[in-house]
Amino acid sequence: MIDDNTINNNFYGIVLVDSKGVIKNNKILDNYTSGLLTEKETTALIQYNVIAKNMTTGVIIKDPSLPDLKKNHIYENNMFQVQMQSHAKK
């Protein structure tokens, strides 16, 4: 669990790989790429966070990860707020 932190001025704010954890009540701001990156089999619960003002993207979700995003404030990221990569399937 990552709870009630300010995470800023990193390359990536938080990187989740094969995570089933909980990310909540954090301020994820001003990171040099994205605020949050999920990879592999990540199914983490991500809720009540402020994810803002990151240099590229607020949240990058890479296939096959499927995080549970609920009640986050994601805004003012430079390129995208949420980006999903390679999730289209038959």
Side-chain angles (χ1 to χ4, degrees), residues 13 30 33-34 38 41 45-46 48 50 54 62 71 75 80 84 86 89-90:
D30 299 310
T33 56
S34 69
T38 68
E41 300 291 330
L45 174 61
I46 301 164
Y48 305 117
V50 173
N54 296 289
K62 291 190 175 185
K71 300 181 180 178
Y75 62 92
F80 302 102
M84 294 182 76
S86 302
K89 300 212 186 318
K90 289 184 179 180

Side-chain angles (χ1 to χ4, degrees), residues 50-88:
V50 173
I51 304 171
K53 301 179 183 176
N54 296 289
M55 292 299 288
T56 62
T57 304
V59 179
I60 299 175
I61 302 168
K62 291 190 175 185
D63 190 26
S65 68
L66 290 170
D68 190 2
L69 293 166
K70 292 183 178 176
K71 300 181 180 178
N72 297 286
H73 295 282
I74 304 171
Y75 62 92
E76 291 183 19
N77 297 290
N78 285 341
M79 293 177 65
F80 302 102
Q81 305 316 306
V82 177
Q83 179 183 15
M84 294 182 76
Q85 295 182 349
S86 302
H87 274 77

Side-chain angles (χ1 to χ4, degrees), residues 24-36:
K24 67 176 188 170
N25 299 316
N26 298 288
K27 293 178 183 171
I28 307 168
L29 312 164
D30 299 310
N31 293 289
Y32 298 116
T33 56
S34 69
L36 184 69

